[in-house]
Amino acid sequence: MTQKINDLRDRMIVALDVPTIWDAYRIVSQLGDAASFYKIGYALAFAGGLQLTQQLVAEGKKVFLDLKLHDIGNTVTEGVASLSNLGVDLLTVHAYPQTMRGAVEGRDGADLKLLAVTALTSYDDGDLRDAGYGLAVRDLVRLRAEQARTAGIDGIVCSAAETEIVRDVIGSDMLIVTPGIRPAGSAAGDQKRTLTPGEAIRAGVDHLVVGRPIIRAADPRAAAAAIMDEIAAAS
Ligand SMILES: O=C(O)c1cc(=O)[nH]c(=O)n1[C@@H]1O[C@H](COP(=O)(O)O)[C@@H](O)[C@H]1O
């Protein structure tokens, strides 16, 4: 198991992609000790999720605040500085060099790890072409991982399918965090670059992000426990 993570349960991050904090509370209480790490995205953050963040931290849960910040450097610096005292563990920014440098400046010694989102896992090469990029997914991910390392970012968000390329660039100290995780037989939905939990762990990722396969399961606790079993078997 990766040296950076002490508790095996912390390798699974549950995405609380629900519309209200009451829905979020229901899932957190259903999961109980089956999950130790939660991701709050901007839909929930805009609906009171920043307060929920503090409550989760107070209850001993780890929190990944996924706001995917992107703006001129100065605005990113000020945004990250405002978020630095929330007590969250992880925060996302888009992997543009100015944005990443601004984020590192805004973090200014706070105990907050910054993650750079390289190429969204719902994108394939054609989607990148549509967005005006001239690089294939793997090449863009490699370039952005290099730029993230240079900027002083702590970890990379990519598909687990790119783990080898990214690890080669960033070495073992930085984190690899991978959404687009789908247990065998579960619906991909809008995700295009997916791997199973076991495949992702064997590839060498640090944290998996899992949303719908848990939060939309008939029994979220059983779904989370099954994913944890797969993680444990592959670790
Ligand atoms: O930054 C992220 O967390 C993220 C990056 C990415 O490339 N792909 C991606 O799916 N995510 C997030 O990861 C979660 C995946 O959710 P599910 O597809 O439901 O498992 C969502 O909250 C996405 O916003």
Side-chain angles (χ1 to χ4, degrees):
M1 170 168 137
T2 167
Q3 299 301 307
K4 287 160 283 188
I5 304 169
N6 298 323
D7 183 346
L8 188 67
R9 286 182 316 158
D10 289 348
R11 299 193 79 177
M12 179 181 75
I13 302 177
V14 179
L16 287 172
D17 290 333
V18 289
T20 72
I21 54 171
W22 311 115
D23 295 309
Y25 281 131
R26 184 174 42 78
I27 288 169
V28 171
S29 94
Q30 277 173 338
L31 293 183
D33 61 5
S36 57
F37 213 143
Y38 287 98
K39 181 172 89 77
I40 293 180
Y42 53 75
L44 189 57
F46 293 157
L50 290 182
Q51 282 71 29
L52 174 67
T53 288
Q54 284 168 309
Q55 185 154 346
L56 289 173
V57 170
E59 286 171 15
K61 303 292 187 190
K62 293 201 160 61
V63 177
F64 169 5
L65 191 55
D66 176 25
L67 299 183
K68 294 190 181 69
L69 301 180
H70 182 41
D71 208 313
I72 61 169
N74 180 63
T75 302
V76 174
T77 299
E78 291 177 358
V80 172
S82 292
L83 293 165
S84 284
N85 298 321
L86 281 179
V88 302
D89 297 274
L90 303 174
L91 172 71
T92 40
V93 302
H94 279 287
Y96 287 74
Q98 283 187 10
T99 298
M100 295 189 287
R101 287 194 294 272
V104 169
E105 193 181 331
R107 184 244 322 257
D108 189 29
D111 193 15
L112 164 69
K113 289 196 168 72
L114 296 167
L115 302 178
V117 179
T118 53
L120 292 165
T121 52
S122 60
Y123 279 51
D124 60 17
D125 292 346
D127 295 308
L128 280 185
R129 261 196 313 278
D130 282 350
Y133 288 88
L135 291 177
V137 166
R138 294 168 75 82
D139 296 325
L140 183 64
V141 170
R142 182 187 294 104
L143 171 69
R144 290 187 161 173
E146 283 164 5
Q147 292 171 331
R149 193 196 51 185
T150 304
I153 290 286
D154 304 293
I156 299 298
V157 178
C158 58
S159 161
E162 290 109 40
T163 308
E164 199 180 332
I165 303 173
V166 170
R167 193 58 85 194
D168 220 38
V169 169
I170 65 173
S172 57
D173 289 345
M174 286 172 65
L175 296 170
I176 298 182
V177 179
T178 58
I181 296 298
R182 288 293 180 268
S186 63
D190 53 355
Q191 299 285 8
K192 290 192 179 152
R193 305 192 332 271
T194 63
L195 255 63
T196 67
E199 287 168 341
I201 293 292
R202 281 191 293 277
V205 315
D206 296 294
H207 298 280
L208 319 181
V209 176
V210 191
R212 288 163 285 185
I214 293 176
I215 65 172
R216 296 212 186 151
D219 183 344
R221 188 178 169 95
I227 291 171
M228 269 316 305
D229 287 348
E230 202 176 323
I231 290 173
S235 293

